[in-house]
Amino acid sequence: MSDKKRRIFLSEKEIPTAWYNIVPDMVNKPMPILNPGTKQPLKPEDLFPIFAEEVSRQELNQTDSWFEIPEPVRDQYKKYRSTPLVRATELEKALDTPAHIYFKNESVSPVGSHKLNSALAQAYYCKEQGITNITTETGAGQWGAALSYASKAFGLDLAVYMVRISYEQKPYRRSIMQTFGAQVIASPSMSTKAGRKVLTDTPNHSGSLGIAISEAIELALQTPNCKYTLGSVLNHVALHQTVIGLEAEKQMEIAGEYPDIIIGCFGGGSNFSGIAYPFMRHTLKKGKKTRFIAAEPSSCPKLTRGIFQYDFGDEAGYTPLLPMYTLGHNFAPANIHAGGLRYHGAGTIVSQLKKDGFLEAVDIPQLESFRAGTLFAQTEGIIPAPESCHAIASAIREANQAKEEGVQKTILFNLSGHGLIDMTAYDLFNQGNLVDYDLPEAVIRRSIDELEHII
Ligand SMILES: *Cc1c(COP(=O)(O)O)cnc(C)c1O
């Protein structure tokens, strides 16, 4: 180990110049995204009223494997990329495992998470098209923070609907967005039809990503020269995030290893897809044997306990119908502190890949995730985002398994963000005031049964 670097960077020249689209390489393509009215497959033009035109085209593209990263986006990437690939030697020692554990550290971006990789791309495409205003939703505030910065970088006005529970639990993320110049509204709000309906039925509603998405789309449709942007779930978001895995691929090569296991935490799938797909292309094209693990919270287990079915991406049903693993768009997850993982569905590509057996999913209880995050902080010196703690917990399980079996495994996980603005959650954990949530099968069934009328 002594002759090996602990942290591996790439030079500016080596930063990827194109994103990787996995769809052309897939054995079974994702089923089509449908117009909820006509039930017909969507064409890019159908998405133009809501999304920037270029991302609409990227969303439905099944033929081009590579999309050039526009020069202005690459210039922005240079502010924080490449992100380091780190060998977690101290964590390995603490676990006394024969496994080699690497992590890709996306927490070094200016806003502290991987979300900026797509925010910059989406803001750029809006600007290029002459758009002046954009809207979005945010759960834990990571996407909103990233898009606020990206909007400022490309000169756009941004309105963010922030899930109310996070608005209250994470006031500093709100401050960050406001500091970058965004307008932030707690959701559900009285400013939209979708929000008013929820508040009329449930005045103390703590909000959900699904509701916030409905509000942001509604505002975008009503505002001239305005588009909506989404930070996860959709294919074009996963596409932009592949810069993570493409860098990691080169960095692992420099480290002289190829991962046996690749892990990402899973909300809507963007950081998982970003780290996984560039490696998965070697599985699809060359039969490389790599295990891919999506780590989701036990209280929002769409991949492990949801069903594969057409569903809406939002609560009010404004989005197209997506073929995906889902807990039902009315599913209300427990108020866990990994806000970015409280989403009912998964991306369509990742769902098809899961259905075809190319990835595994595990669900991690809240307390196990914070125990893992604390060990990581104490060994590697980085306090991880509560979301990222799920990937760490999964990596620890695999490292312990390798120890039990006495085999050397190379594990790579994505550290999607740092937790320095999530210390309220760590406080509650340290005081013994966090709990695990049981999620009875009947609750999942009830929410899934409501989907029967959809298609
Ligand atoms: C948003 C977020 C996630 C979850 O979203 P994905 O699209 O599944 O990646 C995970 N980690 C962090 C730090 C986030 O901000």
Side-chain angles (χ1 to χ4, degrees):
M1 187 62 212
S2 55
D3 58 329
K4 290 264 170 75
K5 288 209 181 79
R6 217 179 104 79
R7 302 198 306 158
I8 296 170
F9 291 90
L10 300 175
S11 69
E12 269 187 17
K13 280 205 310 289
E14 294 169 304
I15 300 174
T17 56
W19 295 299
Y20 169 61
N21 179 19
I22 196 172
V23 180
D25 293 328
M26 286 170 71
V27 179
N28 297 308
K29 309 291 179 235
M31 284 153 65
I33 298 173
L34 302 182
N35 178 319
T38 63
K39 307 275 157 75
Q40 291 303 306
L42 282 192
K43 295 188 287 297
E45 305 85 88
D46 298 325
L47 292 170
F48 290 175
I50 302 181
F51 293 105
E53 291 179 10
E54 181 56 24
V55 303
S56 302
R57 283 188 280 269
Q58 291 174 349
E59 184 63 26
L60 300 174
N61 188 300
Q62 303 206 330
T63 49
D64 298 313
S65 295
W66 299 96
F67 282 90
E68 193 183 324
I69 305 174
E71 193 73 43
V73 176
R74 281 163 58 192
D75 281 344
Q76 289 290 333
Y77 278 180
K78 284 179 191 158
K79 289 186 178 163
Y80 63 100
R81 309 205 68 86
S82 67
T83 63
L85 176 83
V86 187
R87 173 94 183 259
T89 48
E90 299 302 309
L91 178 63
E92 287 173 15
K93 245 183 257 162
L95 295 172
D96 188 25
T97 177
H100 295 180
I101 306 176
Y102 290 86
F103 63 93
K104 179 72 168 155
N105 186 1
E106 289 296 304
S107 83
V108 301
S109 93
V111 295
S113 81
H114 71 288
K115 294 273 191 342
L116 198 55
N117 300 329
S118 186
L120 289 166
Q122 294 191 47
Y124 166 76
Y125 287 126
C126 284
K127 184 66 181 182
E128 191 207 18
Q129 193 188 320
I131 298 300
T132 54
N133 291 62
I134 53 178
T135 72
T136 198
E137 78 296 326
T138 194
Q142 295 270 30
W143 169 246
L147 196 65
S148 301
Y149 172 74
S151 298
K152 191 44 79 185
F154 288 108
L156 299 161
D157 279 339
L158 170 66
V160 183
Y161 285 94
M162 185 173 190
V163 176
R164 182 173 299 277
I165 176 139
S166 299
Y167 189 91
E168 285 158 9
Q169 281 177 352
K170 300 171 194 280
Y172 293 128
R173 284 257 162 63
R174 171 181 49 68
S175 323
I176 290 173
M177 291 184 261
Q178 290 165 334
T179 299
F180 286 130
Q183 184 198 350
V184 187
I185 308 130
S187 167
S189 78
M190 295 300 282
S191 70
T192 62
K193 244 191 318 187
R196 283 195 294 277
K197 175 165 184 312
V198 173
L199 287 178
T200 311
D201 294 347
T202 317
N204 294 326
H205 204 292
S206 57
S208 71
L209 272 181
I211 298 169
I213 293 173
S214 304
E215 294 205 89
I217 293 179
E218 196 179 316
L219 181 65
L221 290 171
Q222 284 170 358
T223 308
N225 215 17
C226 183
K227 295 293 168 207
Y228 165 73
T229 60
L230 186 62
S232 183
V233 186
L234 294 176
N235 300 343
H236 66 268
V237 186
L239 174 76
H240 303 152
Q241 293 296 353
T242 58
V243 68
I244 303 172
L246 292 165
E247 281 184 4
E249 189 189 351
K250 295 186 187 181
Q251 290 164 312
M252 288 299 303
E253 219 173 287
I254 296 171
E257 300 202 54
Y258 192 92
D260 300 299
I261 303 172
I262 295 177
I263 303 171
C265 66
F266 199 97
S270 79
N271 92 90
F272 171 80
S273 305
I275 187 95
Y277 291 172
F279 290 95
M280 203 181 279
R281 88 180 190 277
H282 303 305
T283 303
L284 293 169
K285 291 166 73 137
K286 293 188 237 147
K288 265 258 190 229
K289 299 245 178 306
T290 308
R291 288 174 57 210
F292 298 92
I293 304 176
E296 58 184 12
S298 297
S299 52
C300 198
K302 57 251 166 188
L303 292 175
T304 48
R305 294 174 70 190
I307 58 162
F308 186 88
Q309 142 91 40
Y310 272 99
D311 194 9
F312 291 108
D314 68 326
E315 180 114 356
Y318 291 162
T319 68
L321 286 170
L322 306 167
M324 62 181 179
Y325 280 92
T326 179
L327 293 163
H329 60 275
N330 287 324
F331 179 78
N335 290 335
I336 55 163
H337 283 263
L341 306 186
R342 293 176 76 246
Y343 182 70
H344 68 273
T348 67
I349 295 174
V350 84
S351 291
Q352 187 63 47
L353 290 167
K354 166 80 169 49
K355 196 155 168 262
D356 292 341
F358 287 101
L359 61 107
E360 309 160 37
V362 291
D363 61 324
I364 308 280
Q366 176 159 255
L367 293 179
E368 182 182 345
S369 76
F370 276 98
R371 277 194 297 271
T374 301
L375 178 63
F376 183 78
Q378 292 176 355
T379 50
E380 296 299 319
I382 302 169
I383 297 181
E387 291 85 359
S388 314
C389 290
H390 292 72
I392 298 169
S394 171
I396 291 175
R397 284 187 188 179
E398 293 300 328
N400 287 337
Q401 182 71 26
K403 180 180 177 181
E404 219 165 274
E405 292 170 6
V407 290
Q408 196 279 312
K409 284 270 157 65
T410 300
I411 301 170
L412 167 64
F413 72 85
N414 192 40
L415 183 72
S416 52
H418 68 65
L420 292 177
I421 304 163
D422 302 284
M423 296 316 292
T424 315
Y426 278 90
D427 268 347
L428 291 170
F429 175 69
N430 291 335
Q431 294 154 1
N433 286 331
L434 281 191
V435 295
D436 285 333
Y437 292 92
D438 264 347
L439 178 55
E441 201 54 34
V443 174
I444 298 179
R445 272 263 67 85
R446 206 178 314 133
S447 155
I448 284 175
D449 284 347
E450 291 171 14
L451 296 181
E452 267 171 19
H453 66 283
I454 283 190
I455 190 159

